[in-house]
Amino acid sequence: EPAMQIHYILISMCLIFFSACQNRREKEIKQFIASWEGKEIILPSSWQNVQDSLWEAAIQKQFKIFTYVDTNGCTECQLKLYDWEILHKKLDSLNKNATILYIVHNKFPQYIESIKKRNNITFPFFIDEENKIGKINHLSSKLLYRTFLLDSMNKIILFGNPIQNEQIWNLYKQTITNK
């Protein structure tokens, strides 16, 4: 029947399109990893404000889960603070020499501070009003490419967001605990 033939053609076209998109995304991810693997994330030695003592302690840790959030758009949805707080507690129980460096680019620090207080955040959380870290490190505009596990020298060991992917979290855990 002609209707069935059209149906099969549409399904085939969708499968081909999906496959092409997957291959393109996989290629993009591989290129990103190849260009960023082992790269050092440049971190300022200080923020020149009240966050300095927390920052100085955090950047001295052996392992750092670095995540950079640009909150243009829906701020609270992008921050995922509850998920990061849970991860912080898990990380703290695994290795006291590991931390989260959670950096938010936002031009309205008072607003971000109010969200932080409302969510009872206990992990190291910093506001980069001027996008200094994003600019210095040429961070991607894509959220997928802004979370890394860093070593003590701030070199990228692993890529990916551990709150969005359990396999990534497992890799981070293995590395942090040396298992």
Side-chain angles (χ1 to χ4, degrees):
E1 276 180 49
M4 285 300 275
Q5 288 177 334
I6 291 173
H7 181 72
Y8 288 125
I9 290 171
L10 285 174
I11 289 174
S12 298
M13 288 175 64
C14 286
L15 288 173
I16 290 169
F17 177 75
F18 179 74
S19 175
C21 288
Q22 281 293 102
N23 290 340
R24 194 170 337 147
R25 183 166 185 223
E26 192 174 303
K27 184 178 177 185
E28 178 185 306
I29 291 170
K30 284 179 182 176
Q31 286 175 333
F32 176 80
I33 289 172
S35 66
W36 281 74
E37 190 170 30
K39 183 177 178 180
E40 178 184 355
I41 294 295
I42 300 164
L43 301 172
S45 57
S46 123
W47 285 96
Q48 308 293 320
N49 64 28
V50 296
Q51 296 178 315
D52 273 355
S53 60
L54 180 60
W55 178 257
E56 289 166 9
I59 64 173
Q60 298 302 317
K61 299 283 186 173
Q62 181 182 3
F63 295 103
K64 295 160 282 267
I65 298 176
F66 171 91
T67 192
Y68 195 81
V69 181
D70 188 341
T71 56
N72 294 324
C74 178
T75 303
E76 285 207 56
C77 341
Q78 289 185 36
L79 294 175
K80 299 189 182 306
L81 295 177
Y82 177 77
D83 297 330
W84 282 100
E85 185 65 27
I86 290 170
L87 184 83
H88 171 65
K89 288 180 171 114
K90 290 178 185 175
L91 184 61
D92 203 39
S93 70
L94 285 176
N95 185 336
K96 296 291 183 198
N97 206 10
T99 192
I100 293 171
L101 286 181
Y102 191 94
I103 303 160
V104 178
H105 170 229
N106 189 287
K107 293 180 172 124
F108 306 103
Q110 298 82 2
Y111 175 61
I112 297 299
E113 283 295 335
S114 70
I115 293 171
K116 181 181 165 185
K117 284 181 181 134
R118 190 170 55 243
N119 285 279
N120 298 315
I121 298 309
T122 62
F123 57 85
F125 182 108
F126 306 94
I127 300 169
D128 184 1
E129 287 180 66
E130 298 168 20
N131 191 26
K132 288 180 185 175
I133 291 178
K135 289 175 186 172
I136 291 170
N137 292 291
H138 307 289
L139 296 175
S140 172
S141 60
K142 293 184 179 180
L143 190 58
L144 177 66
Y145 303 126
R146 287 187 282 174
T147 302
F148 315 107
L149 179 62
L150 306 178
D151 68 10
S152 61
M153 302 301 292
N154 301 324
K155 292 196 186 226
I156 298 171
I157 304 171
L158 295 171
F159 306 85
N161 192 324
I163 66 163
Q164 294 177 339
N165 185 316
E166 189 68 28
Q167 291 173 317
I168 298 283
W169 171 236
N170 288 335
L171 286 172
Y172 278 37
K173 271 193 310 194
Q174 286 173 354
T175 303
I176 290 167
T177 59
N178 296 316
K179 292 180 182 174

